[in-house]
mmCIF file with all atom_site columns, all heavy atoms in Angstrom:
data_model
loop_
_atom_site.group_PDB
_atom_site.id
_atom_site.type_symbol
_atom_site.label_atom_id
_atom_site.label_alt_id
_atom_site.label_comp_id
_atom_site.label_asym_id
_atom_site.label_entity_id
_atom_site.label_seq_id
_atom_site.pdbx_PDB_ins_code
_atom_site.Cartn_x
_atom_site.Cartn_y
_atom_site.Cartn_z
_atom_site.occupancy
_atom_site.B_iso_or_equiv
_atom_site.pdbx_formal_charge
_atom_site.auth_seq_id
_atom_site.auth_comp_id
_atom_site.auth_asym_id
_atom_site.auth_atom_id
_atom_site.pdbx_PDB_model_num
ATOM 1   N N   . PRO C 1 1  ? -12.427 15.052 -3.242  1.00 98.00 ? 10 PRO C N   1
ATOM 2   C CA  . PRO C 1 1  ? -12.275 14.259 -4.457  1.00 98.00 ? 10 PRO C CA  1
ATOM 3   C C   . PRO C 1 1  ? -11.156 14.745 -5.377  1.00 98.00 ? 10 PRO C C   1
ATOM 4   O O   . PRO C 1 1  ? -10.709 15.885 -5.298  1.00 98.00 ? 10 PRO C O   1
ATOM 5   C CB  . PRO C 1 1  ? -13.639 14.419 -5.137  1.00 98.00 ? 10 PRO C CB  1
ATOM 6   C CG  . PRO C 1 1  ? -14.194 15.709 -4.611  1.00 98.00 ? 10 PRO C CG  1
ATOM 7   C CD  . PRO C 1 1  ? -13.689 15.836 -3.220  1.00 98.00 ? 10 PRO C CD  1
ATOM 8   N N   . GLN C 1 2  ? -10.749 13.800 -6.236  1.00 98.00 ? 11 GLN C N   1
ATOM 9   C CA  . GLN C 1 2  ? -9.803  14.060 -7.309  1.00 98.00 ? 11 GLN C CA  1
ATOM 10  C C   . GLN C 1 2  ? -10.445 13.539 -8.590  1.00 98.00 ? 11 GLN C C   1
ATOM 11  O O   . GLN C 1 2  ? -10.810 12.369 -8.672  1.00 98.00 ? 11 GLN C O   1
ATOM 12  C CB  . GLN C 1 2  ? -8.459  13.379 -7.019  1.00 98.00 ? 11 GLN C CB  1
ATOM 13  C CG  . GLN C 1 2  ? -7.826  13.905 -5.732  1.00 98.00 ? 11 GLN C CG  1
ATOM 14  C CD  . GLN C 1 2  ? -6.532  13.231 -5.333  1.00 98.00 ? 11 GLN C CD  1
ATOM 15  O OE1 . GLN C 1 2  ? -5.923  12.500 -6.099  1.00 98.00 ? 11 GLN C OE1 1
ATOM 16  N NE2 . GLN C 1 2  ? -6.099  13.482 -4.095  1.00 98.00 ? 11 GLN C NE2 1
ATOM 17  N N   . ALA C 1 3  ? -10.634 14.425 -9.559  1.00 98.00 ? 12 ALA C N   1
ATOM 18  C CA  . ALA C 1 3  ? -11.449 14.115 -10.741 1.00 98.00 ? 12 ALA C CA  1
ATOM 19  C C   . ALA C 1 3  ? -10.607 14.006 -12.003 1.00 98.00 ? 12 ALA C C   1
ATOM 20  O O   . ALA C 1 3  ? -9.658  14.773 -12.204 1.00 98.00 ? 12 ALA C O   1
ATOM 21  C CB  . ALA C 1 3  ? -12.522 15.184 -10.925 1.00 98.00 ? 12 ALA C CB  1
ATOM 22  N N   . PHE C 1 4  ? -11.000 13.051 -12.854 1.00 98.00 ? 13 PHE C N   1
ATOM 23  C CA  . PHE C 1 4  ? -10.309 12.775 -14.118 1.00 98.00 ? 13 PHE C CA  1
ATOM 24  C C   . PHE C 1 4  ? -11.324 12.264 -15.131 1.00 98.00 ? 13 PHE C C   1
ATOM 25  O O   . PHE C 1 4  ? -12.369 11.720 -14.754 1.00 98.00 ? 13 PHE C O   1
ATOM 26  C CB  . PHE C 1 4  ? -9.231  11.700 -13.934 1.00 98.00 ? 13 PHE C CB  1
ATOM 27  C CG  . PHE C 1 4  ? -8.280  11.950 -12.798 1.00 98.00 ? 13 PHE C CG  1
ATOM 28  C CD1 . PHE C 1 4  ? -8.604  11.550 -11.503 1.00 98.00 ? 13 PHE C CD1 1
ATOM 29  C CD2 . PHE C 1 4  ? -7.079  12.591 -13.009 1.00 98.00 ? 13 PHE C CD2 1
ATOM 30  C CE1 . PHE C 1 4  ? -7.747  11.786 -10.440 1.00 98.00 ? 13 PHE C CE1 1
ATOM 31  C CE2 . PHE C 1 4  ? -6.199  12.833 -11.953 1.00 98.00 ? 13 PHE C CE2 1
ATOM 32  C CZ  . PHE C 1 4  ? -6.541  12.433 -10.666 1.00 98.00 ? 13 PHE C CZ  1
ATOM 33  N N   . HIS C 1 5  ? -10.999 12.398 -16.406 1.00 98.00 ? 14 HIS C N   1
ATOM 34  C CA  . HIS C 1 5  ? -11.759 11.677 -17.422 1.00 98.00 ? 14 HIS C CA  1
ATOM 35  C C   . HIS C 1 5  ? -11.398 10.190 -17.289 1.00 98.00 ? 14 HIS C C   1
ATOM 36  O O   . HIS C 1 5  ? -10.225 9.842  -17.124 1.00 98.00 ? 14 HIS C O   1
ATOM 37  C CB  . HIS C 1 5  ? -11.427 12.188 -18.818 1.00 98.00 ? 14 HIS C CB  1
ATOM 38  C CG  . HIS C 1 5  ? -11.855 13.607 -19.048 1.00 98.00 ? 14 HIS C CG  1
ATOM 39  N ND1 . HIS C 1 5  ? -13.180 13.971 -19.152 1.00 98.00 ? 14 HIS C ND1 1
ATOM 40  C CD2 . HIS C 1 5  ? -11.134 14.744 -19.172 1.00 98.00 ? 14 HIS C CD2 1
ATOM 41  C CE1 . HIS C 1 5  ? -13.264 15.281 -19.335 1.00 98.00 ? 14 HIS C CE1 1
ATOM 42  N NE2 . HIS C 1 5  ? -12.037 15.782 -19.344 1.00 98.00 ? 14 HIS C NE2 1
ATOM 43  N N   . ILE C 1 6  ? -12.408 9.331  -17.360 1.00 98.00 ? 15 ILE C N   1
ATOM 44  C CA  . ILE C 1 6  ? -12.184 7.904  -17.115 1.00 98.00 ? 15 ILE C CA  1
ATOM 45  C C   . ILE C 1 6  ? -11.118 7.335  -18.041 1.00 98.00 ? 15 ILE C C   1
ATOM 46  O O   . ILE C 1 6  ? -10.224 6.599  -17.602 1.00 98.00 ? 15 ILE C O   1
ATOM 47  C CB  . ILE C 1 6  ? -13.501 7.113  -17.270 1.00 98.00 ? 15 ILE C CB  1
ATOM 48  C CG1 . ILE C 1 6  ? -14.473 7.465  -16.139 1.00 98.00 ? 15 ILE C CG1 1
ATOM 49  C CG2 . ILE C 1 6  ? -13.239 5.603  -17.275 1.00 98.00 ? 15 ILE C CG2 1
ATOM 50  C CD1 . ILE C 1 6  ? -15.830 6.808  -16.272 1.00 98.00 ? 15 ILE C CD1 1
ATOM 51  N N   . GLY C 1 7  ? -11.189 7.677  -19.323 1.00 97.00 ? 16 GLY C N   1
ATOM 52  C CA  . GLY C 1 7  ? -10.219 7.146  -20.274 1.00 97.00 ? 16 GLY C CA  1
ATOM 53  C C   . GLY C 1 7  ? -8.794  7.540  -19.938 1.00 97.00 ? 16 GLY C C   1
ATOM 54  O O   . GLY C 1 7  ? -7.866  6.720  -19.995 1.00 97.00 ? 16 GLY C O   1
ATOM 55  N N   . ASP C 1 8  ? -8.618  8.816  -19.536 1.00 97.00 ? 17 ASP C N   1
ATOM 56  C CA  . ASP C 1 8  ? -7.282  9.304  -19.173 1.00 97.00 ? 17 ASP C CA  1
ATOM 57  C C   . ASP C 1 8  ? -6.744  8.559  -17.950 1.00 97.00 ? 17 ASP C C   1
ATOM 58  O O   . ASP C 1 8  ? -5.563  8.183  -17.910 1.00 97.00 ? 17 ASP C O   1
ATOM 59  C CB  . ASP C 1 8  ? -7.332  10.804 -18.861 1.00 97.00 ? 17 ASP C CB  1
ATOM 60  C CG  . ASP C 1 8  ? -7.641  11.647 -20.084 1.00 97.00 ? 17 ASP C CG  1
ATOM 61  O OD1 . ASP C 1 8  ? -7.528  11.130 -21.215 1.00 97.00 ? 17 ASP C OD1 1
ATOM 62  O OD2 . ASP C 1 8  ? -8.013  12.830 -19.901 1.00 97.00 ? 17 ASP C OD2 1
ATOM 63  N N   . LEU C 1 9  ? -7.599  8.359  -16.949 1.00 97.00 ? 18 LEU C N   1
ATOM 64  C CA  . LEU C 1 9  ? -7.147  7.726  -15.710 1.00 97.00 ? 18 LEU C CA  1
ATOM 65  C C   . LEU C 1 9  ? -6.856  6.238  -15.917 1.00 97.00 ? 18 LEU C C   1
ATOM 66  O O   . LEU C 1 9  ? -5.896  5.706  -15.363 1.00 97.00 ? 18 LEU C O   1
ATOM 67  C CB  . LEU C 1 9  ? -8.185  7.922  -14.608 1.00 97.00 ? 18 LEU C CB  1
ATOM 68  C CG  . LEU C 1 9  ? -7.723  7.568  -13.192 1.00 97.00 ? 18 LEU C CG  1
ATOM 69  C CD1 . LEU C 1 9  ? -6.474  8.345  -12.802 1.00 97.00 ? 18 LEU C CD1 1
ATOM 70  C CD2 . LEU C 1 9  ? -8.833  7.813  -12.177 1.00 97.00 ? 18 LEU C CD2 1
ATOM 71  N N   . ALA C 1 10 ? -7.676  5.571  -16.728 1.00 97.00 ? 19 ALA C N   1
ATOM 72  C CA  . ALA C 1 10 ? -7.419  4.163  -17.026 1.00 97.00 ? 19 ALA C CA  1
ATOM 73  C C   . ALA C 1 10 ? -6.078  4.009  -17.752 1.00 97.00 ? 19 ALA C C   1
ATOM 74  O O   . ALA C 1 10 ? -5.282  3.113  -17.422 1.00 97.00 ? 19 ALA C O   1
ATOM 75  C CB  . ALA C 1 10 ? -8.557  3.589  -17.865 1.00 97.00 ? 19 ALA C CB  1
ATOM 76  N N   . ASP C 1 11 ? -5.816  4.895  -18.707 1.00 97.00 ? 20 ASP C N   1
ATOM 77  C CA  . ASP C 1 11 ? -4.534  4.852  -19.427 1.00 97.00 ? 20 ASP C CA  1
ATOM 78  C C   . ASP C 1 11 ? -3.368  5.131  -18.486 1.00 97.00 ? 20 ASP C C   1
ATOM 79  O O   . ASP C 1 11 ? -2.310  4.497  -18.589 1.00 97.00 ? 20 ASP C O   1
ATOM 80  C CB  . ASP C 1 11 ? -4.539  5.875  -20.572 1.00 97.00 ? 20 ASP C CB  1
ATOM 81  C CG  . ASP C 1 11 ? -5.444  5.454  -21.722 1.00 97.00 ? 20 ASP C CG  1
ATOM 82  O OD1 . ASP C 1 11 ? -5.809  4.254  -21.781 1.00 97.00 ? 20 ASP C OD1 1
ATOM 83  O OD2 . ASP C 1 11 ? -5.794  6.320  -22.548 1.00 97.00 ? 20 ASP C OD2 1
ATOM 84  N N   . LEU C 1 12 ? -3.557  6.077  -17.551 1.00 96.00 ? 21 LEU C N   1
ATOM 85  C CA  . LEU C 1 12 ? -2.519  6.395  -16.573 1.00 96.00 ? 21 LEU C CA  1
ATOM 86  C C   . LEU C 1 12 ? -2.167  5.158  -15.742 1.00 96.00 ? 21 LEU C C   1
ATOM 87  O O   . LEU C 1 12 ? -0.984  4.862  -15.532 1.00 96.00 ? 21 LEU C O   1
ATOM 88  C CB  . LEU C 1 12 ? -2.988  7.525  -15.655 1.00 96.00 ? 21 LEU C CB  1
ATOM 89  C CG  . LEU C 1 12 ? -1.984  7.963  -14.588 1.00 96.00 ? 21 LEU C CG  1
ATOM 90  C CD1 . LEU C 1 12 ? -0.945  8.901  -15.189 1.00 96.00 ? 21 LEU C CD1 1
ATOM 91  C CD2 . LEU C 1 12 ? -2.698  8.675  -13.427 1.00 96.00 ? 21 LEU C CD2 1
ATOM 92  N N   . HIS C 1 13 ? -3.185  4.435  -15.291 1.00 96.00 ? 22 HIS C N   1
ATOM 93  C CA  . HIS C 1 13 ? -2.936  3.243  -14.474 1.00 96.00 ? 22 HIS C CA  1
ATOM 94  C C   . HIS C 1 13 ? -2.261  2.141  -15.290 1.00 96.00 ? 22 HIS C C   1
ATOM 95  O O   . HIS C 1 13 ? -1.409  1.414  -14.758 1.00 96.00 ? 22 HIS C O   1
ATOM 96  C CB  . HIS C 1 13 ? -4.246  2.750  -13.856 1.00 96.00 ? 22 HIS C CB  1
ATOM 97  C CG  . HIS C 1 13 ? -4.605  3.463  -12.589 1.00 96.00 ? 22 HIS C CG  1
ATOM 98  N ND1 . HIS C 1 13 ? -4.040  3.147  -11.376 1.00 96.00 ? 22 HIS C ND1 1
ATOM 99  C CD2 . HIS C 1 13 ? -5.444  4.503  -12.347 1.00 96.00 ? 22 HIS C CD2 1
ATOM 100 C CE1 . HIS C 1 13 ? -4.527  3.948  -10.435 1.00 96.00 ? 22 HIS C CE1 1
ATOM 101 N NE2 . HIS C 1 13 ? -5.376  4.774  -10.996 1.00 96.00 ? 22 HIS C NE2 1
ATOM 102 N N   . ARG C 1 14 ? -2.609  2.014  -16.552 1.00 96.00 ? 23 ARG C N   1
ATOM 103 C CA  . ARG C 1 14 ? -1.931  1.012  -17.392 1.00 96.00 ? 23 ARG C CA  1
ATOM 104 C C   . ARG C 1 14 ? -0.458  1.367  -17.575 1.00 96.00 ? 23 ARG C C   1
ATOM 105 O O   . ARG C 1 14 ? 0.418   0.504  -17.471 1.00 96.00 ? 23 ARG C O   1
ATOM 106 C CB  . ARG C 1 14 ? -2.643  0.898  -18.742 1.00 96.00 ? 23 ARG C CB  1
ATOM 107 C CG  . ARG C 1 14 ? -3.896  0.022  -18.695 1.00 96.00 ? 23 ARG C CG  1
ATOM 108 C CD  . ARG C 1 14 ? -4.466  -0.250 -20.072 1.00 96.00 ? 23 ARG C CD  1
ATOM 109 N NE  . ARG C 1 14 ? -5.306  0.845  -20.525 1.00 96.00 ? 23 ARG C NE  1
ATOM 110 C CZ  . ARG C 1 14 ? -6.613  0.928  -20.295 1.00 96.00 ? 23 ARG C CZ  1
ATOM 111 N NH1 . ARG C 1 14 ? -7.240  -0.013 -19.608 1.00 96.00 ? 23 ARG C NH1 1
ATOM 112 N NH2 . ARG C 1 14 ? -7.317  1.952  -20.757 1.00 96.00 ? 23 ARG C NH2 1
ATOM 113 N N   . ARG C 1 15 ? -0.188  2.644  -17.808 1.00 95.00 ? 24 ARG C N   1
ATOM 114 C CA  . ARG C 1 15 ? 1.208   3.083  -17.969 1.00 95.00 ? 24 ARG C CA  1
ATOM 115 C C   . ARG C 1 15 ? 1.991   2.929  -16.674 1.00 95.00 ? 24 ARG C C   1
ATOM 116 O O   . ARG C 1 15 ? 3.171   2.574  -16.685 1.00 95.00 ? 24 ARG C O   1
ATOM 117 C CB  . ARG C 1 15 ? 1.248   4.538  -18.447 1.00 95.00 ? 24 ARG C CB  1
ATOM 118 C CG  . ARG C 1 15 ? 0.807   4.713  -19.895 1.00 95.00 ? 24 ARG C CG  1
ATOM 119 C CD  . ARG C 1 15 ? 1.140   6.096  -20.436 1.00 95.00 ? 24 ARG C CD  1
ATOM 120 N NE  . ARG C 1 15 ? 0.290   7.138  -19.893 1.00 95.00 ? 24 ARG C NE  1
ATOM 121 C CZ  . ARG C 1 15 ? 0.718   8.196  -19.216 1.00 95.00 ? 24 ARG C CZ  1
ATOM 122 N NH1 . ARG C 1 15 ? 2.017   8.352  -18.960 1.00 95.00 ? 24 ARG C NH1 1
ATOM 123 N NH2 . ARG C 1 15 ? -0.134  9.113  -18.784 1.00 95.00 ? 24 ARG C NH2 1
ATOM 124 N N   . ALA C 1 16 ? 1.325   3.187  -15.535 1.00 95.00 ? 25 ALA C N   1
ATOM 125 C CA  . ALA C 1 16 ? 1.987   3.034  -14.243 1.00 95.00 ? 25 ALA C CA  1
ATOM 126 C C   . ALA C 1 16 ? 2.370   1.573  -13.995 1.00 95.00 ? 25 ALA C C   1
ATOM 127 O O   . ALA C 1 16 ? 3.469   1.287  -13.488 1.00 95.00 ? 25 ALA C O   1
ATOM 128 C CB  . ALA C 1 16 ? 1.086   3.544  -13.128 1.00 95.00 ? 25 ALA C CB  1
ATOM 129 N N   . LEU C 1 17 ? 1.478   0.646  -14.341 1.00 94.00 ? 26 LEU C N   1
ATOM 130 C CA  . LEU C 1 17 ? 1.787   -0.781 -14.184 1.00 94.00 ? 26 LEU C CA  1
ATOM 131 C C   . LEU C 1 17 ? 2.995   -1.165 -15.032 1.00 94.00 ? 26 LEU C C   1
ATOM 132 O O   . LEU C 1 17 ? 3.882   -1.889 -14.570 1.00 94.00 ? 26 LEU C O   1
ATOM 133 C CB  . LEU C 1 17 ? 0.577   -1.630 -14.573 1.00 94.00 ? 26 LEU C CB  1
ATOM 134 C CG  . LEU C 1 17 ? -0.558  -1.724 -13.551 1.00 94.00 ? 26 LEU C CG  1
ATOM 135 C CD1 . LEU C 1 17 ? -1.742  -2.482 -14.150 1.00 94.00 ? 26 LEU C CD1 1
ATOM 136 C CD2 . LEU C 1 17 ? -0.091  -2.409 -12.265 1.00 94.00 ? 26 LEU C CD2 1
ATOM 137 N N   . GLU C 1 18 ? 3.028   -0.654 -16.261 1.00 95.00 ? 27 GLU C N   1
ATOM 138 C CA  . GLU C 1 18 ? 4.171   -0.939 -17.150 1.00 95.00 ? 27 GLU C CA  1
ATOM 139 C C   . GLU C 1 18 ? 5.465   -0.373 -16.583 1.00 95.00 ? 27 GLU C C   1
ATOM 140 O O   . GLU C 1 18 ? 6.538   -0.959 -16.763 1.00 95.00 ? 27 GLU C O   1
ATOM 141 C CB  . GLU C 1 18 ? 3.907   -0.358 -18.541 1.00 95.00 ? 27 GLU C CB  1
ATOM 142 C CG  . GLU C 1 18 ? 2.813   -1.086 -19.316 1.00 95.00 ? 27 GLU C CG  1
ATOM 143 C CD  . GLU C 1 18 ? 2.441   -0.361 -20.605 1.00 95.00 ? 27 GLU C CD  1
ATOM 144 O OE1 . GLU C 1 18 ? 3.152   0.608  -20.963 1.00 95.00 ? 27 GLU C OE1 1
ATOM 145 O OE2 . GLU C 1 18 ? 1.446   -0.770 -21.240 1.00 95.00 ? 27 GLU C OE2 1
ATOM 146 N N   . ALA C 1 19 ? 5.359   0.767  -15.884 1.00 94.00 ? 28 ALA C N   1
ATOM 147 C CA  . ALA C 1 19 ? 6.542   1.421  -15.310 1.00 94.00 ? 28 ALA C CA  1
ATOM 148 C C   . ALA C 1 19 ? 6.915   0.844  -13.946 1.00 94.00 ? 28 ALA C C   1
ATOM 149 O O   . ALA C 1 19 ? 7.926   1.251  -13.356 1.00 94.00 ? 28 ALA C O   1
ATOM 150 C CB  . ALA C 1 19 ? 6.298   2.924  -15.194 1.00 94.00 ? 28 ALA C CB  1
ATOM 151 N N   . GLY C 1 20 ? 6.104   -0.089 -13.431 1.00 94.00 ? 29 GLY C N   1
ATOM 152 C CA  . GLY C 1 20 ? 6.407   -0.691 -12.131 1.00 94.00 ? 29 GLY C CA  1
ATOM 153 C C   . GLY C 1 20 ? 6.018   0.164  -10.950 1.00 94.00 ? 29 GLY C C   1
ATOM 154 O O   . GLY C 1 20 ? 6.473   -0.085 -9.824  1.00 94.00 ? 29 GLY C O   1
ATOM 155 N N   . ILE C 1 21 ? 5.159   1.174  -11.156 1.00 93.00 ? 30 ILE C N   1
ATOM 156 C CA  . ILE C 1 21 ? 4.688   2.024  -10.056 1.00 93.00 ? 30 ILE C CA  1
ATOM 157 C C   . ILE C 1 21 ? 3.386   1.432  -9.541  1.00 93.00 ? 30 ILE C C   1
ATOM 158 O O   . ILE C 1 21 ? 2.365   1.471  -10.230 1.00 93.00 ? 30 ILE C O   1
ATOM 159 C CB  . ILE C 1 21 ? 4.486   3.476  -10.520 1.00 93.00 ? 30 ILE C CB  1
ATOM 160 C CG1 . ILE C 1 21 ? 5.808   4.078  -10.996 1.00 93.00 ? 30 ILE C CG1 1
ATOM 161 C CG2 . ILE C 1 21 ? 3.895   4.326  -9.388  1.00 93.00 ? 30 ILE C CG2 1
ATOM 162 C CD1 . ILE C 1 21 ? 5.681   5.442  -11.641 1.00 93.00 ? 30 ILE C CD1 1
ATOM 163 N N   . THR C 1 22 ? 3.409   0.870  -8.326  1.00 91.00 ? 31 THR C N   1
ATOM 164 C CA  . THR C 1 22 ? 2.249   0.132  -7.824  1.00 91.00 ? 31 THR C CA  1
ATOM 165 C C   . THR C 1 22 ? 1.772   0.595  -6.445  1.00 91.00 ? 31 THR C C   1
ATOM 166 O O   . THR C 1 22 ? 0.784   0.058  -5.931  1.00 91.00 ? 31 THR C O   1
ATOM 167 C CB  . THR C 1 22 ? 2.562   -1.377 -7.739  1.00 91.00 ? 31 THR C CB  1
ATOM 168 O OG1 . THR C 1 22 ? 3.692   -1.562 -6.873  1.00 91.00 ? 31 THR C OG1 1
ATOM 169 C CG2 . THR C 1 22 ? 2.866   -1.957 -9.113  1.00 91.00 ? 31 THR C CG2 1
ATOM 170 N N   . ASN C 1 23 ? 2.458   1.569  -5.838  1.00 91.00 ? 32 ASN C N   1
ATOM 171 C CA  . ASN C 1 23 ? 2.067   1.952  -4.477  1.00 91.00 ? 32 ASN C CA  1
ATOM 172 C C   . ASN C 1 23 ? 2.137   3.465  -4.273  1.00 91.00 ? 32 ASN C C   1
ATOM 173 O O   . ASN C 1 23 ? 2.583   3.946  -3.247  1.00 91.00 ? 32 ASN C O   1
ATOM 174 C CB  . ASN C 1 23 ? 2.953   1.240  -3.446  1.00 91.00 ? 32 ASN C CB  1
ATOM 175 C CG  . ASN C 1 23 ? 2.341   1.275  -2.047  1.00 91.00 ? 32 ASN C CG  1
ATOM 176 O OD1 . ASN C 1 23 ? 1.141   1.491  -1.884  1.00 91.00 ? 32 ASN C OD1 1
ATOM 177 N ND2 . ASN C 1 23 ? 3.167   1.093  -1.031  1.00 91.00 ? 32 ASN C ND2 1
ATOM 178 N N   . SER C 1 24 ? 1.642   4.222  -5.272  1.00 91.00 ? 33 SER C N   1
ATOM 179 C CA  . SER C 1 24 ? 1.548   5.670  -5.117  1.00 91.00 ? 33 SER C CA  1
ATOM 180 C C   . SER C 1 24 ? 0.425   5.969  -4.128  1.00 91.00 ? 33 SER C C   1
ATOM 181 O O   . SER C 1 24 ? -0.599  5.283  -4.108  1.00 91.00 ? 33 SER C O   1
ATOM 182 C CB  . SER C 1 24 ? 1.274   6.334  -6.465  1.00 91.00 ? 33 SER C CB  1
ATOM 183 O OG  . SER C 1 24 ? 1.505   7.720  -6.404  1.00 91.00 ? 33 SER C OG  1
ATOM 184 N N   . VAL C 1 25 ? 0.589   6.997  -3.310  1.00 87.00 ? 34 VAL C N   1
ATOM 185 C CA  . VAL C 1 25 ? -0.343  7.206  -2.195  1.00 87.00 ? 34 VAL C CA  1
ATOM 186 C C   . VAL C 1 25 ? -1.676  7.806  -2.627  1.00 87.00 ? 34 VAL C C   1
ATOM 187 O O   . VAL C 1 25 ? -2.658  7.722  -1.896  1.00 87.00 ? 34 VAL C O   1
ATOM 188 C CB  . VAL C 1 25 ? 0.286   8.095  -1.095  1.00 87.00 ? 34 VAL C CB  1
ATOM 189 C CG1 . VAL C 1 25 ? 1.472   7.398  -0.462  1.00 87.00 ? 34 VAL C CG1 1
ATOM 190 C CG2 . VAL C 1 25 ? 0.676   9.458  -1.641  1.00 87.00 ? 34 VAL C CG2 1
ATOM 191 N N   . ALA C 1 26 ? -1.747  8.404  -3.817  1.00 92.00 ? 35 ALA C N   1
ATOM 192 C CA  . ALA C 1 26 ? -2.993  9.030  -4.271  1.00 92.00 ? 35 ALA C CA  1
ATOM 193 C C   . ALA C 1 26 ? -2.965  9.175  -5.784  1.00 92.00 ? 35 ALA C C   1
ATOM 194 O O   . ALA C 1 26 ? -1.905  9.058  -6.408  1.00 92.00 ? 35 ALA C O   1
ATOM 195 C CB  . ALA C 1 26 ? -3.181  10.402 -3.619  1.00 92.00 ? 35 ALA C CB  1
ATOM 196 N N   . SER C 1 27 ? -4.117  9.448  -6.361  1.00 94.00 ? 36 SER C N   1
ATOM 197 C CA  . SER C 1 27 ? -4.184  9.640  -7.813  1.00 94.00 ? 36 SER C CA  1
ATOM 198 C C   . SER C 1 27 ? -3.365  10.854 -8.241  1.00 94.00 ? 36 SER C C   1
ATOM 199 O O   . SER C 1 27 ? -2.708  10.834 -9.285  1.00 94.00 ? 36 SER C O   1
ATOM 200 C CB  . SER C 1 27 ? -5.641  9.802  -8.256  1.00 94.00 ? 36 SER C CB  1
ATOM 201 O OG  . SER C 1 27 ? -6.388  8.645  -7.958  1.00 94.00 ? 36 SER C OG  1
ATOM 202 N N   . CYS C 1 28 ? -3.393  11.927 -7.426  1.00 94.00 ? 37 CYS C N   1
ATOM 203 C CA  . CYS C 1 28 ? -2.626  13.119 -7.783  1.00 94.00 ? 37 CYS C CA  1
ATOM 204 C C   . CYS C 1 28 ? -1.129  12.847 -7.775  1.00 94.00 ? 37 CYS C C   1
ATOM 205 O O   . CYS C 1 28 ? -0.393  13.321 -8.651  1.00 94.00 ? 37 CYS C O   1
ATOM 206 C CB  . CYS C 1 28 ? -2.985  14.285 -6.863  1.00 94.00 ? 37 CYS C CB  1
ATOM 207 S SG  . CYS C 1 28 ? -2.678  13.989 -5.104  1.00 94.00 ? 37 CYS C SG  1
#
């Protein structure tokens, strides 16, 4: 597993979408 606080990870995914990053191979 790879563990995160839910709020931090949700924000990370929102920022990634804004940056156009859509196919990273893992959360890390």
Side-chain angles (χ1 to χ4, degrees):
Q11 299 177 13
F13 309 85
H14 294 290
I15 291 176
D17 293 344
L18 192 56
D20 288 343
L21 181 80
H22 276 280
R23 279 189 277 270
R24 288 193 287 121
L26 283 174
E27 290 172 9
I30 298 172
T31 58
N32 197 20
S33 195
V34 295
S36 298
C37 60

